Amino acid sequence: MESHVCRIWPLSVPDFVHYLHISWETDLGKGFTVTLWNGQHAWSGKVSETQMTVEANEAEMEREKYLAELRQALTSGEGRTRNYSFDISKHGDADEMLNFTYEKVLQDFSFKLGSVELKKVSDPTEVIKELINYGLDCIGDLRIKNEHMQKENKRLKCDCDYSLNELEKHVKDKEALEHGLYSRFILVLNEKKAKIRSLQEKLKCTQEEAEAS
Amino acid sequence: LSCVDKVSSIFDDVEFCVLNGPHNHPKADLEKGIAECGGLVVQNPGPDTYCVVADTVNVRVKNLIAANTHDVVMVDWLLNCLQKKQILPWQPKHMIHMSPSTEEHFAQEYDHYGDSYFVNTDESQLREVFKRMDQPEQKFSFETIADLEQRYSWDTSPLSMFRHCVIYMDMDFPSAISDPNSQIRDTSLDLRALELRYYGAKVVGELNEGVSHVVKHDRGQHLQKLKSLRRTFERKFKIVSESWVTDSVKAGIVQDERNYLL
């Protein structure tokens, strides 16, 4: 069982925050349950797989594409829901039934992704409990994950620093070795060149002497 | 010492002065060895002394070196002679000190560092020559090494592929990421700098005239600043991305900078 909770601001009552709870088994495409809570009352309803197929056809979208849009609309973070709008409308005066619609907003028009009939829940405290539990569970999980990540991060940082230091040592050693070898090489090489010069000089002298005689 | 049995006559009538010996061959043993080979041993070197033998350079050895009248030879040479039962020629590696006449003789054969002028050397001999040399005081510049490598065509070695590069690492990156509190800096430029040095580059800490490349973090800012600074430079440096380094290292040869310009 997976679920997602987010806040929405229905178009008809934009000043009232509503809590939207979506829950589904393994895959959203197999149908899902919608629960809406406005702080006082709660409504709940189900969207079936066949209903989604019908809605995809109405929107003239491929099923997969439609599902991707639906996931975006219903289960992504609040920041990303800017491209989607939600609305509720009551059936008559009583608030026993609500019609909940979700739409995708394009530049200058929006089209309906789907709608679902929600029935008032007799015991909203159960809904609230579930919402709070969900929130707390999330916080707990994230905290554990965060701690783990931070530990991991620290370890990686340690390893990284260690490796960098080692590498720096090796680089310095290599530079020193290279420098030492090259400088000795140069000294020995220059000795040989000095010898060659002196022999050259000697040869020149001998040649000159030979020519002179 | 007069009652030793003579085993060889290689040192017949040759006078030695042994000053000290190693633990496993103390002075007395060495003197006995010399006598067994027909040599004479004196306690103070005189005009007829062939050479002074020593293992460690102590005050007495130093004084003899200062006097500059005798050759001071390492114990190893004597041990070799005793072992092989023949007088082996002195080599530069045997000499602690040479008298002027010996030095002149050696100068005909060997250079100042003991490398022969005429006989080919090999790895172990050259290694010994190098080992005997003090770390040269004189600092050779990167250019000297680069010239040398070019002259002898060693510049194709991957270990010197960046030799012609003078590189400044531009450590600037978005401030949010360079937050000192963040555990891991989102840059591997320090690693790149070490890589560059390992493969022969000269990495400098300041962006001055003469820098050939600036390696920059791809997401780093102030590219424009760098470019306007470059306009004031006489020799224009290239601004390249990190992948120029990694790709070159991977390929074992410096890649064309033009494909990595920022």
Side-chain angles (χ1 to χ4, degrees), chain A residues 66-125:
Chain A
Y66 174 80
L67 276 179
E69 283 290 345
L70 208 59
R71 273 190 203 102
Q72 280 280 327
L74 299 175
T75 67
S76 61
E78 281 168 23
R80 266 185 269 167
T81 55
R82 252 177 277 128
N83 296 329
Y84 303 94
S85 68
F86 304 92
D87 205 1
I88 47 173
S89 57
K90 291 174 186 172
H91 283 277
D93 290 336
D95 52 7
E96 283 302 310
M97 294 290 277
L98 277 185
N99 193 17
F100 175 63
T101 51
Y102 31 100
E103 300 184 332
K104 182 175 171 65
V105 183
L106 295 171
Q107 236 158 12
D108 36 9
F109 74 104
S110 59
F111 70 89
K112 190 170 135 188
L113 278 174
S115 67
V116 58
E117 291 288 321
L118 302 182
K119 199 165 170 266
K120 193 168 181 180
V121 179
S122 55
D123 185 10
T125 45

Side-chain angles (χ1 to χ4, degrees), chain B residues 169-186:
Chain B
M169 307 301 286
D170 191 64
M171 293 288 189
D172 159 72
F173 25 85
S175 54
I177 293 166
S178 66
D179 174 11
N181 295 325
S182 95
Q183 284 280 307
I184 291 183
R185 269 188 297 135
D186 185 32

Side-chain angles (χ1 to χ4, degrees), chain A residues 6-10 16-20 36 78 86 88 100:
Chain A
C6 65
R7 289 174 296 185
I8 58 166
W9 288 267
F16 291 95
V17 62
H18 283 61
Y19 298 87
L20 177 66
L36 200 61
E78 281 168 23
F86 304 92
I88 47 173
F100 175 63

